[in-house]
């Protein structure tokens, strides 16, 4: 009995030991499985993140490619004409817009549509040949018919006037200043034929008239012609030199460059005064345009920028060039001390004026419209609606132009028709923004706007 009990105890101990080994093995396998699953999960997350990043990069490159194709290979016109005039209506769904605002927008839309229907289409005028001025010199050329007999009698004449051209005419302004001396000084002339001492009190000669450039034989009319041809008619100096050469007058390039520098210095005071008048207004438009500039070191042209500042109410413009730079420091120095509204194209250099006291930064509808036009293929419905609303604002401006309204009348028209449309359009943008750019909040929308 004792032997049987002993065998049972040994068997139980062996089973317990085997169970413990199996349990430990199972725990090791579970730990290995957990580690493997954890690694696979982390690897899967990493791969998913990498795939999502690649998808975003592919989407970005695809959008860029579509933009470049649209910009360089598609039609450049941004004019928007919807296919069906009755296709879209005013969209107020989901907007926190007041009933009075809805009525104002609908009334403005109705008046714009009525004006478009009533607007008379101007007929294209047929070209009319204007009479040639009588003051032009006529060279008469008589052509007699051949085979005339003695019994032929002249009963009239057919006249045809043709405009012809000869190279421009240069003339010499000869300034003669007679020199006079008193009779006593003349008697004291030496054998050489000259007074022994030329005293200013005994010699009389007229003073030279005021000339624009000292020690130069260029008169004001010639300098004005050269500058007008260059900056108004866009004729470079080398072409003007060639034109003068056709008249028989050879003008060296170095001489013309000197005349140009001297003339520019004479105009400096007018430029500074013009700049003061423009910056004294309370509403200006600023833009920067590219101009090709010759790099003397590299002997080729490079892209530079010329700044333009316009006083809208005075219709005055001045240009500013700072070594071809487009940097923000240029516009900061240019508009130092300005107070009022500044309208720009959205270039980031103007962002410094968003929070500046006394300055109101305005955008440009043409540049805003361009972005919606570029989004037509990505979001046709939203882009079309936005383009239609912007188009209505342009129609209001066209109404003002057609009626030749002054500033006050144009302002009243904008308040009555354009302002309600803009307010409703703004609310539509705020409501539509999350649909167009998922995942962005209101703070990011303010940054976009």
């Amino acid at each position: 009995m004792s032997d049987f009990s002993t065998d049972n105890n040994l068997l139980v101990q062996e089973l317990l030991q085997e169970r413990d080994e199996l349990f430990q093995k199972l725990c090791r396998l579970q730990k290995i499985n957990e580690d493997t699953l954890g690694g696979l999960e982390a690897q899967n997350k990493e791969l998913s993140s990498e795939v999502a990043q690649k998808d975003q990069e592919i989407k970005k490159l695809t959008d860029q490619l579509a933009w470049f194709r649209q910009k360089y290979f598609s039609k450049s016109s941004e004019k928007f004409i919807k296919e069906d005039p009755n296709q879209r209506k005013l969209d107020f769904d989901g907007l926190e817009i007041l009933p009075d605002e809805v009525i104002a927008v609908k009334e403005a839309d109705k008046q714009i549509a009525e004006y478009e229907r009533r607007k008379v289409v101007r007929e294209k005028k047929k070209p009319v040949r204007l009479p040639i001025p009588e003051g032009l010199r006529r060279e008469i050329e008589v052509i007699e018919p051949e085979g005339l007999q003695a019994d032929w009698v002249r009963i009239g004449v057919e006249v045809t006037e043709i405009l012809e051209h000869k190279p421009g005419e240069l003339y010499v302004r000869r300034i003669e200043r007679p020199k006079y001396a008193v009779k006593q000084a003349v008697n004291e002339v030496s054998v050489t034929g000259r007074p022994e001492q030329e005293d200013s009190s005994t010699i009389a000669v007229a003073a030279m008239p005021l000339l624009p450039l000292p020690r130069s034989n260029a008169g004001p009319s010639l300098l004005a012609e050269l500058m007008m041809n260059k900056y108004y008619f866009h004729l470079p100096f080398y072409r003007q030199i060639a034109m003068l050469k056709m008249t028989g007058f050879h003008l060296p390039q170095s001489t013309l460059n000197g005349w140009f520098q001297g003339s520019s210095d004479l105009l400096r005071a007018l430029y500074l005064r013009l700049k003061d008048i423009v910056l004294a207004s309370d509403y200006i438009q600023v833009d920067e345009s590219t101009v090709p500039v010759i790099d003397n070191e590299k002997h080729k042209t490079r892209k530079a920028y010329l700044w333009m500042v316009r006083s809208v109410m005075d219709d005055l413009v001045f240009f500013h060039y700072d070594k071809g730079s487009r940097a923000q420091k240029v516009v900061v120095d240019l508009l130092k001390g300005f107070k009022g509204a500044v309208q720009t194209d959205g270039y980031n250099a103007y962002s410094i004026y968003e929070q500046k006291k006394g300055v109101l930064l305005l955008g440009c509808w043409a540049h805003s419209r361009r972005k919606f036009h570029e989004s037509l293929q990505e979001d046709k419905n939203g882009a079309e609606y936005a383009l239609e609303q912007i188009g209505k604002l342009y129609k209001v401006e066209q109404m003002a132009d057609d009626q030749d309204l002054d500033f006050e009348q144009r302002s009243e028209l904008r308040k009555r028709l354009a302002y309600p449309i803009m307010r409703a359009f703004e609310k539509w943008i705020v409501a539509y923004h999350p649909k167009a750019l998922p995942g962005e909040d209101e703070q990011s929308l303010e940054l976009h706007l």
Side-chain angles (χ1 to χ4, degrees), residues 108-146:
D109 188 61
K110 179 181 178 182
Q111 291 189 29
I112 294 173
E114 290 179 354
Y115 179 81
E116 288 294 316
R117 285 195 297 267
R118 296 196 313 266
K119 186 170 63 174
V120 178
V121 179
R122 298 179 181 177
E123 297 182 357
K124 293 184 178 180
K125 296 182 179 179
K126 296 182 179 180
V128 178
R129 179 181 296 177
L130 298 177
I132 299 176
E134 294 294 334
L136 295 181
R137 183 175 61 87
R138 260 74 172 174
E139 288 187 0
I140 301 176
E141 179 182 354
V142 180
I143 304 176
E144 296 286 354
E146 297 180 357

Short mmCIF file of all heavy atoms in Angstrom, two decimals, residues 108-146:
data_model
loop_
_atom_site.label_atom_id
_atom_site.label_comp_id
_atom_site.label_asym_id
_atom_site.label_seq_id
_atom_site.Cartn_x
_atom_site.Cartn_y
_atom_site.Cartn_z
N ALA A 108 -30.47 93.21 -54.56
CA ALA A 108 -29.29 93.60 -55.33
C ALA A 108 -29.13 92.70 -56.55
O ALA A 108 -28.85 93.18 -57.67
CB ALA A 108 -28.03 93.52 -54.46
N ASP A 109 -29.34 91.39 -56.37
CA ASP A 109 -29.23 90.47 -57.49
C ASP A 109 -30.29 90.77 -58.54
O ASP A 109 -30.03 90.71 -59.75
CB ASP A 109 -29.37 89.03 -56.97
CG ASP A 109 -29.08 88.01 -58.04
OD1 ASP A 109 -27.95 88.00 -58.56
OD2 ASP A 109 -29.99 87.22 -58.38
N LYS A 110 -31.49 91.14 -58.09
CA LYS A 110 -32.57 91.46 -59.02
C LYS A 110 -32.26 92.71 -59.82
O LYS A 110 -32.45 92.76 -61.04
CB LYS A 110 -33.87 91.64 -58.23
CG LYS A 110 -35.08 92.01 -59.08
CD LYS A 110 -36.31 92.20 -58.22
CE LYS A 110 -37.51 92.62 -59.06
NZ LYS A 110 -38.70 92.85 -58.20
N GLN A 111 -31.73 93.75 -59.15
CA GLN A 111 -31.41 94.99 -59.85
C GLN A 111 -30.28 94.80 -60.86
O GLN A 111 -30.31 95.37 -61.96
CB GLN A 111 -31.02 96.08 -58.84
CG GLN A 111 -32.18 96.55 -57.99
CD GLN A 111 -31.80 97.77 -57.18
OE1 GLN A 111 -30.96 98.56 -57.56
NE2 GLN A 111 -32.46 97.92 -56.01
N ILE A 112 -29.28 93.98 -60.49
CA ILE A 112 -28.18 93.70 -61.43
C ILE A 112 -28.70 92.98 -62.66
O ILE A 112 -28.34 93.29 -63.80
CB ILE A 112 -27.08 92.89 -60.74
CG1 ILE A 112 -26.42 93.73 -59.64
CG2 ILE A 112 -26.03 92.43 -61.74
CD1 ILE A 112 -25.43 92.96 -58.79
N ALA A 113 -29.58 91.98 -62.43
CA ALA A 113 -30.14 91.23 -63.56
C ALA A 113 -31.00 92.13 -64.46
O ALA A 113 -30.93 92.04 -65.69
CB ALA A 113 -30.98 90.06 -63.04
N GLU A 114 -31.81 93.01 -63.83
CA GLU A 114 -32.63 93.94 -64.63
C GLU A 114 -31.75 94.90 -65.43
O GLU A 114 -32.05 95.21 -66.59
CB GLU A 114 -33.56 94.72 -63.71
CG GLU A 114 -34.69 93.87 -63.11
CD GLU A 114 -35.57 94.69 -62.19
OE1 GLU A 114 -35.23 95.86 -61.95
OE2 GLU A 114 -36.59 94.15 -61.71
N TYR A 115 -30.66 95.36 -64.82
CA TYR A 115 -29.77 96.26 -65.55
C TYR A 115 -29.14 95.55 -66.74
O TYR A 115 -28.99 96.13 -67.83
CB TYR A 115 -28.69 96.78 -64.61
CG TYR A 115 -27.70 97.71 -65.30
CD1 TYR A 115 -28.01 99.04 -65.51
CD2 TYR A 115 -26.47 97.23 -65.76
CE1 TYR A 115 -27.13 99.89 -66.15
CE2 TYR A 115 -25.58 98.07 -66.41
CZ TYR A 115 -25.91 99.39 -66.59
OH TYR A 115 -25.03 100.22 -67.24
N GLU A 116 -28.77 94.28 -66.56
CA GLU A 116 -28.18 93.53 -67.66
C GLU A 116 -29.17 93.35 -68.81
O GLU A 116 -28.79 93.39 -69.98
CB GLU A 116 -27.71 92.14 -67.16
CG GLU A 116 -26.49 92.19 -66.27
CD GLU A 116 -25.25 92.64 -67.03
OE1 GLU A 116 -25.05 92.16 -68.15
OE2 GLU A 116 -24.51 93.49 -66.50
N ARG A 117 -30.46 93.18 -68.46
CA ARG A 117 -31.48 93.01 -69.51
C ARG A 117 -31.75 94.33 -70.23
O ARG A 117 -31.99 94.35 -71.44
CB ARG A 117 -32.78 92.47 -68.90
CG ARG A 117 -32.72 91.00 -68.54
CD ARG A 117 -34.11 90.45 -68.29
NE ARG A 117 -34.74 91.09 -67.15
CZ ARG A 117 -34.68 90.61 -65.91
NH1 ARG A 117 -34.01 89.50 -65.67
NH2 ARG A 117 -35.28 91.23 -64.91
N ARG A 118 -31.74 95.45 -69.47
CA ARG A 118 -32.04 96.74 -70.07
C ARG A 118 -30.85 97.35 -70.79
O ARG A 118 -31.03 98.27 -71.60
CB ARG A 118 -32.51 97.73 -69.00
CG ARG A 118 -33.81 97.36 -68.32
CD ARG A 118 -34.37 98.57 -67.58
NE ARG A 118 -33.35 99.24 -66.79
CZ ARG A 118 -33.12 99.00 -65.51
NH1 ARG A 118 -33.83 98.07 -64.88
NH2 ARG A 118 -32.19 99.66 -64.86
N LYS A 119 -29.66 96.87 -70.47
CA LYS A 119 -28.46 97.52 -71.00
C LYS A 119 -28.45 97.44 -72.52
O LYS A 119 -28.62 96.39 -73.12
CB LYS A 119 -27.20 96.84 -70.43
CG LYS A 119 -25.93 97.54 -70.82
CD LYS A 119 -24.72 97.00 -70.04
CE LYS A 119 -24.49 95.55 -70.36
NZ LYS A 119 -23.25 95.06 -69.73
N VAL A 120 -28.27 98.59 -73.12
CA VAL A 120 -28.25 98.67 -74.58
C VAL A 120 -26.88 98.23 -75.08
O VAL A 120 -25.84 98.71 -74.62
CB VAL A 120 -28.54 100.11 -75.05
CG1 VAL A 120 -28.47 100.20 -76.56
CG2 VAL A 120 -29.89 100.55 -74.52
N VAL A 121 -26.91 97.31 -76.01
CA VAL A 121 -25.66 96.85 -76.60
C VAL A 121 -25.17 97.90 -77.58
O VAL A 121 -25.86 98.26 -78.54
CB VAL A 121 -25.86 95.50 -77.32
CG1 VAL A 121 -24.54 95.04 -77.95
CG2 VAL A 121 -26.39 94.46 -76.35
N ARG A 122 -24.00 98.41 -77.31
CA ARG A 122 -23.46 99.46 -78.16
C ARG A 122 -23.01 98.90 -79.50
O ARG A 122 -22.29 97.90 -79.56
CB ARG A 122 -22.27 100.14 -77.47
CG ARG A 122 -22.65 100.83 -76.15
CD ARG A 122 -21.42 101.46 -75.52
NE ARG A 122 -21.76 102.10 -74.25
CZ ARG A 122 -20.87 102.68 -73.46
NH1 ARG A 122 -19.58 102.68 -73.80
NH2 ARG A 122 -21.24 103.23 -72.33
N GLU A 123 -23.50 99.54 -80.52
CA GLU A 123 -23.10 99.10 -81.85
C GLU A 123 -21.67 99.53 -82.15
O GLU A 123 -21.23 100.61 -81.75
CB GLU A 123 -24.04 99.70 -82.91
CG GLU A 123 -25.49 99.25 -82.78
CD GLU A 123 -26.35 99.84 -83.87
OE1 GLU A 123 -25.81 100.63 -84.68
OE2 GLU A 123 -27.55 99.52 -83.90
N LYS A 124 -20.96 98.66 -82.82
CA LYS A 124 -19.60 98.99 -83.20
C LYS A 124 -19.61 100.07 -84.27
O LYS A 124 -20.28 99.97 -85.29
CB LYS A 124 -18.89 97.74 -83.74
CG LYS A 124 -18.66 96.67 -82.67
CD LYS A 124 -17.86 95.52 -83.24
CE LYS A 124 -17.60 94.46 -82.16
NZ LYS A 124 -16.81 93.32 -82.71
N LYS A 125 -18.88 101.14 -83.96
CA LYS A 125 -18.84 102.23 -84.91
C LYS A 125 -17.95 101.87 -86.10
O LYS A 125 -16.89 101.28 -85.94
CB LYS A 125 -18.29 103.49 -84.22
CG LYS A 125 -19.19 104.01 -83.11
CD LYS A 125 -18.61 105.28 -82.52
CE LYS A 125 -19.52 105.82 -81.43
NZ LYS A 125 -18.95 107.06 -80.83
N LYS A 126 -18.44 102.23 -87.27
CA LYS A 126 -17.62 102.00 -88.46
C LYS A 126 -16.50 103.03 -88.50
O LYS A 126 -16.68 104.19 -88.14
CB LYS A 126 -18.50 102.12 -89.72
CG LYS A 126 -19.58 101.06 -89.81
CD LYS A 126 -20.37 101.22 -91.11
CE LYS A 126 -21.44 100.15 -91.21
NZ LYS A 126 -22.23 100.28 -92.46
N PRO A 127 -15.30 102.59 -88.90
CA PRO A 127 -14.19 103.54 -88.95
C PRO A 127 -14.46 104.65 -89.95
O PRO A 127 -14.92 104.41 -91.06
CB PRO A 127 -13.00 102.65 -89.40
CG PRO A 127 -13.62 101.47 -90.05
CD PRO A 127 -14.93 101.24 -89.37
N VAL A 128 -14.18 105.87 -89.50
CA VAL A 128 -14.39 107.05 -90.35
C VAL A 128 -13.04 107.69 -90.60
O VAL A 128 -12.26 107.91 -89.66
CB VAL A 128 -15.35 108.06 -89.66
CG1 VAL A 128 -15.52 109.29 -90.54
CG2 VAL A 128 -16.69 107.40 -89.39
N ARG A 129 -12.76 107.97 -91.88
CA ARG A 129 -11.51 108.60 -92.22
C ARG A 129 -11.57 110.08 -91.83
O ARG A 129 -12.41 110.83 -92.32
CB ARG A 129 -11.23 108.47 -93.71
CG ARG A 129 -9.93 109.15 -94.13
CD ARG A 129 -9.71 109.01 -95.62
NE ARG A 129 -9.53 107.63 -96.00
CZ ARG A 129 -9.37 107.23 -97.27
NH1 ARG A 129 -9.39 108.12 -98.25
NH2 ARG A 129 -9.21 105.96 -97.55
N LEU A 130 -10.68 110.47 -90.91
CA LEU A 130 -10.64 111.85 -90.46
C LEU A 130 -9.93 112.72 -91.50
O LEU A 130 -9.02 112.27 -92.19
CB LEU A 130 -9.91 111.94 -89.12
CG LEU A 130 -10.55 111.18 -87.95
CD1 LEU A 130 -9.69 111.30 -86.72
CD2 LEU A 130 -11.96 111.70 -87.68
N PRO A 131 -10.34 113.96 -91.61
CA PRO A 131 -9.68 114.84 -92.58
C PRO A 131 -8.24 115.12 -92.17
O PRO A 131 -7.93 115.23 -90.98
CB PRO A 131 -10.54 116.11 -92.55
CG PRO A 131 -11.21 116.08 -91.21
CD PRO A 131 -11.42 114.64 -90.89
N ILE A 132 -7.39 115.27 -93.18
CA ILE A 132 -6.00 115.59 -92.90
C ILE A 132 -5.89 117.05 -92.53
O ILE A 132 -6.48 117.91 -93.20
CB ILE A 132 -5.13 115.27 -94.14
CG1 ILE A 132 -5.23 113.77 -94.46
CG2 ILE A 132 -3.69 115.68 -93.93
CD1 ILE A 132 -4.49 113.36 -95.71
N PRO A 133 -5.18 117.39 -91.46
CA PRO A 133 -5.09 118.80 -91.04
C PRO A 133 -4.57 119.71 -92.15
O PRO A 133 -3.66 119.35 -92.90
CB PRO A 133 -4.11 118.74 -89.86
CG PRO A 133 -4.20 117.34 -89.35
CD PRO A 133 -4.47 116.49 -90.55
N GLU A 134 -5.17 120.90 -92.23
CA GLU A 134 -4.78 121.84 -93.28
C GLU A 134 -3.39 122.42 -93.05
O GLU A 134 -2.74 122.89 -93.98
CB GLU A 134 -5.81 122.99 -93.34
CG GLU A 134 -7.19 122.56 -93.79
CD GLU A 134 -7.21 122.08 -95.23
OE1 GLU A 134 -6.33 122.51 -96.01
OE2 GLU A 134 -8.08 121.27 -95.58
N GLY A 135 -2.90 122.37 -91.82
CA GLY A 135 -1.62 122.99 -91.54
C GLY A 135 -0.42 122.22 -92.05
O GLY A 135 0.70 122.74 -92.06
N LEU A 136 -0.62 120.99 -92.49
CA LEU A 136 0.51 120.20 -92.99
C LEU A 136 0.93 120.71 -94.37
O LEU A 136 0.09 121.09 -95.20
CB LEU A 136 0.14 118.72 -93.06
CG LEU A 136 -0.15 118.03 -91.72
CD1 LEU A 136 -0.47 116.57 -91.96
CD2 LEU A 136 1.04 118.15 -90.77
N ARG A 137 2.25 120.71 -94.57
CA ARG A 137 2.78 121.15 -95.86
C ARG A 137 2.37 120.19 -96.96
O ARG A 137 2.41 118.97 -96.78
CB ARG A 137 4.32 121.23 -95.78
CG ARG A 137 4.99 121.74 -97.04
CD ARG A 137 6.49 121.89 -96.79
NE ARG A 137 7.10 120.62 -96.46
CZ ARG A 137 7.57 119.76 -97.37
NH1 ARG A 137 7.46 120.03 -98.68
NH2 ARG A 137 8.12 118.64 -97.01
N ARG A 138 1.94 120.76 -98.10
CA ARG A 138 1.50 119.96 -99.24
C ARG A 138 2.53 120.02 -100.37
O ARG A 138 3.02 121.12 -100.70
CB ARG A 138 0.17 120.47 -99.80
CG ARG A 138 -1.07 119.68 -99.36
CD ARG A 138 -1.46 119.94 -97.95
NE ARG A 138 -2.76 119.33 -97.63
CZ ARG A 138 -3.29 119.30 -96.45
NH1 ARG A 138 -2.65 119.83 -95.42
NH2 ARG A 138 -4.47 118.73 -96.23
N GLU A 139 2.90 118.90 -100.86
CA GLU A 139 3.69 118.82 -102.09
C GLU A 139 2.73 118.40 -103.20
O GLU A 139 2.18 117.30 -103.18
CB GLU A 139 4.83 117.81 -101.96
CG GLU A 139 5.96 118.27 -101.07
CD GLU A 139 7.14 117.31 -101.10
OE1 GLU A 139 7.04 116.30 -101.82
OE2 GLU A 139 8.14 117.57 -100.40
N ILE A 140 2.51 119.32 -104.19
CA ILE A 140 1.51 119.07 -105.22
C ILE A 140 2.15 118.30 -106.37
O ILE A 140 3.20 118.67 -106.90
CB ILE A 140 0.92 120.40 -105.73
CG1 ILE A 140 0.27 121.15 -104.55
CG2 ILE A 140 -0.08 120.15 -106.84
CD1 ILE A 140 -0.25 122.52 -104.93
N GLU A 141 1.52 117.23 -106.74
CA GLU A 141 1.97 116.39 -107.87
C GLU A 141 0.82 116.33 -108.87
O GLU A 141 -0.26 115.81 -108.55
CB GLU A 141 2.36 115.00 -107.37
CG GLU A 141 2.81 114.06 -108.47
CD GLU A 141 3.14 112.68 -107.93
OE1 GLU A 141 3.12 112.49 -106.70
OE2 GLU A 141 3.40 111.77 -108.76
N VAL A 142 1.04 116.83 -110.05
CA VAL A 142 0.00 116.88 -111.09
C VAL A 142 0.28 115.78 -112.11
O VAL A 142 1.38 115.67 -112.66
CB VAL A 142 -0.02 118.26 -111.79
CG1 VAL A 142 -1.11 118.28 -112.86
CG2 VAL A 142 -0.26 119.37 -110.76
N ILE A 143 -0.72 114.95 -112.36
CA ILE A 143 -0.60 113.87 -113.35
C ILE A 143 -1.64 114.13 -114.45
O ILE A 143 -2.85 113.99 -114.21
CB ILE A 143 -0.83 112.50 -112.70
CG1 ILE A 143 0.16 112.29 -111.52
CG2 ILE A 143 -0.67 111.39 -113.72
CD1 ILE A 143 -0.06 111.00 -110.78
N GLU A 144 -1.17 114.51 -115.59
CA GLU A 144 -2.06 114.79 -116.72
C GLU A 144 -2.34 113.51 -117.49
O GLU A 144 -1.48 112.64 -117.62
CB GLU A 144 -1.41 115.82 -117.65
CG GLU A 144 -1.18 117.19 -117.02
CD GLU A 144 -2.47 117.97 -116.88
OE1 GLU A 144 -3.51 117.49 -117.37
OE2 GLU A 144 -2.45 119.07 -116.28
N PRO A 145 -3.57 113.36 -118.00
CA PRO A 145 -3.88 112.17 -118.81
C PRO A 145 -3.15 112.22 -120.16
O PRO A 145 -2.85 113.29 -120.69
CB PRO A 145 -5.40 112.26 -119.00
CG PRO A 145 -5.72 113.70 -118.85
CD PRO A 145 -4.75 114.26 -117.86
N GLU A 146 -2.84 111.07 -120.66
CA GLU A 146 -2.16 110.99 -121.95
C GLU A 146 -3.17 111.10 -123.10
O GLU A 146 -4.35 110.78 -122.97
CB GLU A 146 -1.39 109.69 -122.04
CG GLU A 146 -0.27 109.56 -120.99
CD GLU A 146 0.46 108.23 -121.13
OE1 GLU A 146 0.05 107.41 -121.98
OE2 GLU A 146 1.43 108.01 -120.36
#
